[in-house]
Amino acid sequence: MPRLKLVPPAEPSPAEKVRQRVKAMPRPASLIQCPRCGGREMIETKTGMLFSGGKASGGTKQILCAACLLKGERVVVL
């Protein structure tokens, strides 16, 4: 039976190194930061809105991470 070998962890890419550095940086308590990628760029969305009388109303507001959204992931921050 062949023996299994441990594969050493892959060296993080330059982009991943930047993400790790940004996540570790100190920040003010009021600053919003993505828990997944550490990004600080957000997009405000509303779901379930009604359109009547020529105006949009209602809906649930959510704050999404823009960096994760560009990668196809929907990360709700607030």
Side-chain angles (χ1 to χ4, degrees), residues 7-39:
V7 177
E11 186 69 27
S13 67
E16 186 61 35
K17 287 181 183 179
V18 170
R19 281 189 209 100
Q20 291 171 352
R21 184 171 45 90
V22 168
K23 284 174 79 171
M25 290 172 60
R27 62 181 175 91
S30 59
L31 183 67
I32 300 173
Q33 184 172 339
C34 177
R36 185 173 296 176
C37 73

Side-chain angles (χ1 to χ4, degrees), residues 27 31-45 62-69 75-78:
R27 62 181 175 91
L31 183 67
I32 300 173
Q33 184 172 339
C34 177
R36 185 173 296 176
C37 73
R40 296 177 179 173
E41 196 172 359
M42 305 293 153
I43 296 175
E44 182 179 319
T45 63
Q62 292 182 326
I63 306 291
L64 306 178
C65 173
C68 291
L69 195 62
V75 178
V76 178
V77 179
L78 285 179

